[in-house]
Amino acid sequence: MKDENTRDSAANRREFDTTGYSFESEDNTDGIDVSATGEFQFDQVVTRGDTTVSRSVEWSFECSETTDDMHREGSETNDGTTATREDVKRFVSDGGCDSKSDRVAPDGGVDEQGRSFEADATPTPATGGKPPKGELDGETVHARWYAQVGGPVETAPIVRDGSVYVGTENGFVCDIDHRDGVSNWLFQAPNAVGTPEVGDDGRIYVGDRSGNLFALDSASGAREWRFETNAGLEVSPSLLGDTLYVAARDGQVFGLDAQTGDKRVSFRSPARALTSLRIAGNTLYATGLDGGLFAHDITDGTEQFRFAPSLAIAGAPEVVDDTAYVGTVDGDRVYAIDATTGETKWRHRLDAGVWSSPVVVGGIVYVGCADGNVYALDAREGTVRWRVQTGARVWGTPVVTNELMYVTNDDGFVFALDRADGRVRWQYHVQDSLVASPTVGRHGVYVGDVTGTVYAFPR
């Protein structure tokens, strides 16, 4: 569906309307839609080993011009590495961090002791301390690439069909090629965006803090439609069949036609300062920092139960069979509750709050905590199987694979832990704080830091 406001009608165009900036690999022209309004200047760097790809783009609606700071054949950067024109024309960004800082190792990690990777380390005691330390186990693993994406990354990337989709605090949505960190297109929303939802219908859905929900073409980043609400849309939308569910900060929940953006259903959840949305079966769960977990019938919004309405809950519940697992910000607990009635099955007290969602795999509940620990709890009883102290607050949700669990912390460490016992397989220190969860794709592990740098690690 073509968006008439943005792409066809100058009279209906709004000040913040922008479209995706597509950089085609067939020629050297920039695919910038001049019907958009605004003025932009970007300086972007992608680093792959000793090769640095850099470009500067200046463009405005009035002059509609671009300038490149690199020759077609490539030129030498300030640090002596070669900047190629290989894929430069496909990426724009407004900078992020200084890739030439003395703090930065050749692979993008912080090179404090001549190394940026540690394998097979032994966890420190759960009472606290610095991140686990250990000796290298024969092989050093580095980031495959790292790229600046224009603004702080505080939500998890999404990986689909060879693309890594990233949202930033200054409103950028980037489609990054998983192979080399170079972007296919860039879209700018008027405010900070949350984690995108990628549908099988060729669209990407993303909301911003101003209350706009955008449907973007996944191939070009062009806006197809926009839905407006009265409060911020910082929670990732959820696609169920051909209905897209989205929850605003004020608790208003909408079910939209995913193709057109037309409203099908709406209701208000008691969850205020709403922080998460999760659909399991015919139930929609919403949580809020103003208190509680609320369960609604997905068809009409009828409230089924409310749990801990006096406690702040930031992360979405993890629902497995007939049990929902959730952590609280205040109260410092992890709960297992009946997913139908909300009755408590067990609770486990932690030393600080939980800001993310628990993950349940193979009868184990994995959860990160603001006390710096990562916990593995028995899913039936809530008893501790193991815990590992990472050395700083854990904000993001752990990601679990067949053998490993990946987690990040506020000091900028990425950890790969053995699922069975919490042993540290490796750790990596990025340039700044990691607020968001990592994302695991078929070809790698991806995470963004608050300086606006996205990293790709081998699995």
Side-chain angles (χ1 to χ4, degrees), residues 45 52 54 69-70 75-83 98-101:
V45 176
T52 299
S54 181
D69 65 353
M70 294 295 170
S75 62
E76 191 171 271
T77 62
N78 292 338
D79 59 0
T81 57
T82 300
D98 180 6
S99 65
K100 302 177 184 64
S101 167

Side-chain angles (χ1 to χ4, degrees), residues 381-402:
E381 302 174 353
T383 54
V384 177
R385 293 286 191 90
W386 55 258
R387 60 175 173 170
V388 173
Q389 173 59 237
T390 71
R393 291 170 294 188
V394 177
W395 301 115
T397 298
V399 178
V400 180
T401 64
N402 289 337

Side-chain angles (χ1 to χ4, degrees), residues 321-400:
D321 298 328
D322 62 347
T323 304
Y325 302 86
V326 66
T328 65
V329 175
D330 50 4
D332 306 341
R333 289 180 173 89
V334 177
Y335 289 89
I337 65 175
D338 187 293
T340 303
T341 65
E343 295 180 359
T344 300
K345 294 185 175 183
W346 57 254
R347 64 174 65 88
H348 180 80
R349 181 70 178 265
L350 306 177
D351 293 329
V354 175
W355 286 83
S356 59
S357 300
V359 176
V360 182
V361 180
I364 303 296
V365 182
Y366 301 94
V367 62
C369 181
D371 65 3
N373 280 299
V374 180
Y375 293 85
L377 308 176
D378 186 279
R380 284 197 214 174
E381 302 174 353
T383 54
V384 177
R385 293 286 191 90
W386 55 258
R387 60 175 173 170
V388 173
Q389 173 59 237
T390 71
R393 291 170 294 188
V394 177
W395 301 115
T397 298
V399 178
V400 180

